[in-house]
Amino acid sequence: MCCILYIPKGVETPTKEELFSVFLHNRDGCGFADSDGNGYKTLSFDKFIKELEKRKITAACIVHFRYATHGSIKPKNCHPFTDKETGIVFAHNGVLPIVSHNDMTDSEIFFRERFLPKLKEQGNDYDSEALWRYTDNQRGGSRFIFMRGDEVRLMGKWHEIDGVFYSNLNWCYYR
């Protein structure tokens, strides 16, 4: 199962060693996006770390380590996914009951074909209660994270360690 880290503004990025522990359990790619608009996706942990080290502590950051269930193993299928039009960033941990097509992940299909159309249906009202009720009903037992600028929404059960929020702690066994 994938693992998402949410690093709020003002919180230090976990150490390279801690991040490598997460990667060891989720080796099918990694990516990040921050609230300053920076992001990177790769299959290489070393390249990922070089880019993530540029993160400023003044930016919130979503980090995702992938364990592939839908879609092939390639950088395009790494999270987080960004919609350039709305500026919304999305990452998912879990498995959704979605049939994959065009080599897309269940996560990207949900984001692009379900969430964004629902947002548009709600008049692009990101604060719409109907949008978030729909989204919560769609996620099942999965964890979702959405970021738009400085605004971040966590959905599902998360675990906090030293100010960083983790979507699961399965990687702890590799420490």
Side-chain angles (χ1 to χ4, degrees):
M1 184 184 306
C2 303
C3 188
I4 308 167
L5 288 69
Y6 165 54
I7 311 166
K9 279 184 173 186
V11 175
E12 292 287 339
T13 304
T15 67
K16 181 178 178 179
E17 293 75 25
E18 290 169 319
L19 294 171
F20 189 65
S21 292
V22 183
F23 176 75
L24 284 176
H25 196 68
N26 305 277
R27 294 175 178 243
D28 295 330
C30 34
F32 78 89
D34 69 23
S35 58
D36 286 344
N38 303 306
Y40 187 72
K41 298 179 184 186
T42 183
L43 301 180
S44 164
F45 181 78
D46 291 333
K47 289 179 182 177
F48 170 77
I49 285 298
K50 280 187 178 183
E51 292 300 316
L52 185 62
E53 286 175 343
K54 298 175 187 175
R55 173 194 172 241
K56 295 178 183 167
I57 198 163
T58 56
C61 188
I62 296 172
V63 175
H64 187 276
F65 292 96
R66 183 169 186 240
Y67 184 91
T69 58
H70 295 76
S72 62
I73 297 171
K74 61 184 179 183
K76 179 193 174 300
N77 283 336
C78 294
H79 305 209
F81 300 102
T82 303
D83 179 60
K84 301 231 186 274
E85 187 177 318
T86 62
I88 298 171
V89 177
F90 170 72
H92 164 235
N93 170 205
V95 178
L96 298 169
I98 293 175
V99 176
S100 185
H101 59 82
N102 298 329
D103 193 33
M104 291 170 64
T105 68
D106 55 338
S107 309
E108 185 174 16
I109 292 168
F110 168 78
F111 181 56
R112 301 210 185 280
E113 297 180 10
R114 296 188 183 178
F115 177 81
L116 291 173
K118 187 68 171 179
L119 174 66
K120 190 172 186 176
E121 179 185 302
Q122 298 299 312
N124 289 324
D125 180 5
Y126 189 70
D127 296 318
S128 162
E129 286 184 38
L131 171 69
W132 296 109
R133 199 170 34 255
Y134 167 82
T135 302
D136 195 40
N137 288 335
Q138 293 288 304
R139 73 175 179 80
S142 294
R143 269 77 57 213
F144 286 172
I145 184 168
F146 296 86
M147 181 170 61
R148 185 182 68 168
D150 290 334
E151 185 179 357
V152 175
R153 290 179 183 256
L154 300 172
M155 302 181 86
K157 183 177 179 180
W158 292 74
H159 309 273
E160 182 185 353
I161 300 174
D162 298 327
V164 176
F165 294 83
Y166 294 82
S167 62
N168 68 63
L169 299 177
N170 296 348
W171 58 273
C172 288
Y173 301 110
Y174 287 86
R175 292 181 89 177

